[in-house]
C-alpha cells in the first residue's frame, strides 16, 4: 500500500482526498517509480478543485511532475535505482500522476535526474521551470539576444514567471515583470527584474498596435494580456506563449505580425520531444542560479495539497510549490 491523492467523480460529486492505494491500482507502464517529491502546478490545482476540465478519466491521481527512484523496470533505458524526473505527457490528466508515493509510467516519458540537482531542487524547477527554459530557448532560437532590448514576463510571481526572470537575468537580459500582486515587487526585483508593472496595464482590451517596447516576452496569461503584449512588441520581436491563466481566447489583431514582423511562438511542455527536454534540463543546470531557486519555492506535505490548490488558483501562492509525498 502507498499514500496518494485520488480524484473521484460519481453520484456523490467531485472530490480529491488523500487515500491509501494498492499497487494493483496503478496503471500500465514499464517503469515503476518510488516517488520522493512532486509539485503543485496551476493545472494540478484545476484538476484537484474541479475548476477546469483537466481530468480525463476517473479515478485519477493528479500531479504532472515527479522525481523519484526506479523500483521496477522492463524498459531498456532504466534500471532499478536510477533517479528520474517526469514532466507532462498527460500524466496527472489521463494517466495516474506524481501526487502519490508510487507511479507506474512509460520509460519513454522519463529523463534522468541531472546530477546538479537534488530531488527537491528538480521539483522546485518542475514543469513550470522547464517550460520557462523552453521559452528562453525559443527566444534565443529566433535571435532575441540581450542587446536587443527588454524582455517582458507576465504572471511574474508565478512558477513559470519567477523561473523565467531568474534565468533571463542570469543570461544578461533586461527583464520587466508583470503581476497583479504589487506586494511581490521586492521578491521579483530580487530574482533579477529591472522593473515591475501592474497587471491592469495589460488585462483590458487595447489597441491593435501600441508603442513599441519589448524585444521579447514570456506570456503565461493569454487573452487580452497576450494581445496587448503582442501589440507593444518591437519590430522583429518574439512573444512566447505558454499559458492561459487569463483565458484561452486571443482578442487581438494581425497588425503586430504583418506590420512589425512580430513572431508569436507557441510553447508546449506536455508533449515536447525527449531531445528538447534533455536540452532544457541541461540548460537549467548552468543557466539557473540555485540560490535564487531557494527563494522561489516552498515545500508542503501531501496532506496540505488539497487546501493549497484553491489558494493557488486564487492568486495567493508565490513561485513554486514542492510536495514531499512522504511527509
Amino acid at each position: 500500500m502507498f499514500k496518494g491523492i485520488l480524484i473521484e467523480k460519481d453520484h456523490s460529486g467531485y472530490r480529491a482526498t488523500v487515500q491509501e492505494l494498492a499497487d494493483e491500482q496503478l496503471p500500465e507502464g514499464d517503469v515503476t517509480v518510488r516517488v520522493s517529491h512532486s509539485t503543485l502546478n496551476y493545472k494540478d490545482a484545476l484538476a484537484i478543485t474541479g475548476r477546469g476540465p483537466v481530468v480525463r478519466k476517473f479515478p485519477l491521481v493528479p500531479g504532472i511532475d515527479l522525481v523519484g527512484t526506479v523500483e521496477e523496470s522492463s524498459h531498456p533505458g532504466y534500471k532499478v535505482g536510477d533517479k528520474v524526473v517526469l514532466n507532462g505527457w498527460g500524466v496527472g490528466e489521463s494517466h495516474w500522476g506524481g501526487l502519490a508515493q508510487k507511479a507506474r509510467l512509460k520509460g519513454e516519458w522519463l529523463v534522468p535526474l541531472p546530477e546538479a540537482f537534488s530531488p527537491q531542487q528538480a521539483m522546485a524547477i518542475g514543469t513550470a521551470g522547464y517550460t520557462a527554459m523552453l521559452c528562453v530557448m525559443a527566444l534565443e532560437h529566433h535571435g532575441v539576444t540581450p542587446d536587443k532590448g527588454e524582455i517582458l514576463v507576465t504572471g511574474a510571481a508565478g512558477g513559470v514567471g519567477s523561473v523565467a526572470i531568474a534565468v533571463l537575468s542570469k543570461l544578461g537580459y533586461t527583464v520587466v515583470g508583470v503581476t497583479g500582486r504589487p506586494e511581490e515587487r521586492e521578491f521579483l526585483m530580487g530574482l533579477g527584474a529591472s522593473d515591475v508593472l501592474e497587471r491592469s496595464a495589460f488585462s483590458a482590451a487595447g489597441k491593435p498596435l501600441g508603442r513599441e517596447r519589448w524585444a521579447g516576452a514570456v506570456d503565461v496569461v493569454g487573452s487580452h494580456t497576450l494581445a496587448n503584449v503582442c501589440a507593444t512588441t518591437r519590430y522583429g520581436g518574439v512573444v512566447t506563449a505558454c499559458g492561459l491563466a487569463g483565458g484561452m481566447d486571443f482578442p487581438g489583431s494581425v497588425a503586430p505580425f504583418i506590420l512589425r514582423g512580430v513572431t508569436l511562438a507557441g510553447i508546449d511542455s506536455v508533449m515536447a520531444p525527449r531531445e528538447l527536454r534533455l536540452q532544457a534540463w541541461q540548460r537549467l543546470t548552468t543557466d539557473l542560479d540555485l540560490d535564487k531557486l531557494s527563494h522561489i519555492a516552498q515545500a508542503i506535505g501531501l496532506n496540505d495539497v488539497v487546501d493549497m490548490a484553491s489558494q493557488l488558483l486564487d492568486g495567493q501562492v508565490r513561485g513554486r510549490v514542492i510536495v514531499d509525498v512522504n511527509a
Side-chain angles (χ1 to χ4, degrees):
M1 301 294 289
F2 63 95
K3 188 182 293 185
I5 294 175
L6 193 67
I7 299 174
E8 299 171 283
K9 183 180 181 182
D10 52 30
H11 65 278
S12 299
Y14 189 105
R15 59 194 178 277
T17 56
V18 177
Q19 298 186 25
E20 288 289 333
L21 304 170
D23 287 22
E24 293 74 23
Q25 293 176 264
L26 288 169
E28 292 184 0
D30 51 14
V31 180
T32 301
V33 176
R34 172 62 68 172
V35 180
S36 67
H37 296 81
S38 184
T39 63
L40 178 63
N41 296 281
Y42 188 82
K43 186 181 287 186
D44 300 321
L46 288 173
I48 289 167
T49 61
R51 294 195 202 177
V54 171
V55 180
R56 301 175 190 173
K57 60 188 298 186
F58 297 90
L60 184 98
V61 171
I64 64 175
D65 288 328
L66 65 84
V67 63
T69 304
V70 174
E71 194 172 75
E72 297 178 24
S73 175
S74 60
H75 188 279
Y78 297 97
K79 64 183 185 301
V80 174
D82 285 348
K83 306 292 184 182
V84 294
V85 176
L86 178 134
N87 312 108
W89 292 116
V91 172
E93 300 176 64
S94 57
H95 188 97
W96 281 28
L99 285 168
Q101 294 170 332
K102 277 191 181 185
R104 185 171 294 141
L105 310 153
K106 292 184 179 181
E108 64 201 61
W109 296 342
L110 304 171
V111 297
L113 171 66
E115 292 184 3
F117 300 134
S118 68
Q120 294 91 332
Q121 289 170 331
M123 289 297 95
I125 295 168
T127 286
Y130 145 68
T131 302
M133 192 71 242
L134 292 177
C135 290
V136 173
M137 290 162 57
L139 292 173
E140 294 174 337
H141 175 75
H142 288 284
V144 180
T145 50
D147 60 296
K148 294 293 179 66
E150 297 174 302
I151 307 298
L152 187 72
V153 176
T154 67
V160 174
S162 56
V163 176
I165 290 173
V167 169
L168 286 164
S169 63
K170 184 174 181 182
L171 292 172
Y173 290 88
T174 301
V175 190
V176 177
V178 178
T179 182
R181 292 179 269 172
E183 68 275 11
E184 301 292 6
R185 180 181 180 86
E186 184 177 347
F187 164 67
L188 296 173
M189 300 291 278
L191 293 179
S194 63
D195 196 9
V196 179
L197 304 179
E198 289 278 352
R199 181 174 61 196
S200 57
F202 297 86
S203 57
K207 298 178 180 179
L209 286 175
R211 181 175 67 87
E212 296 179 58
R213 179 169 180 181
W214 319 114
V218 175
D219 178 64
V220 305
V221 181
S223 193
H224 289 295
T225 295
L226 178 58
N228 287 322
V229 171
C230 290
T232 51
T233 295
R234 294 167 58 174
Y235 191 94
V238 179
V239 178
T240 60
C242 64
L244 44 76
M248 291 186 67
D249 59 325
F250 180 61
S253 163
V254 297
F257 313 118
I258 63 175
L259 298 181
R260 291 182 179 166
V262 171
T263 296
L264 179 58
I267 305 298
D268 167 53
S269 62
V270 176
M271 304 303 290
R274 177 180 172 80
E275 295 75 18
L276 195 59
R277 292 167 182 268
L278 291 171
Q279 184 182 353
W281 276 100
Q282 183 58 44
R283 285 287 304 273
L284 285 161
T285 67
T286 58
D287 297 341
L288 177 60
D289 186 337
L290 294 185
D291 288 336
K292 289 182 179 178
L293 187 62
S294 65
H295 296 293
I296 291 172
Q298 60 177 300
I300 63 173
L302 201 59
N303 291 325
D304 303 317
V305 170
V306 174
D307 287 340
M308 186 162 281
S310 294
Q311 297 174 36
L312 191 153
L313 294 181
D314 293 339
Q316 299 172 4
V317 177
R318 170 205 285 180
R320 300 282 297 130
V321 180
I322 306 168
V323 180
D324 183 342
V325 300
N326 299 298

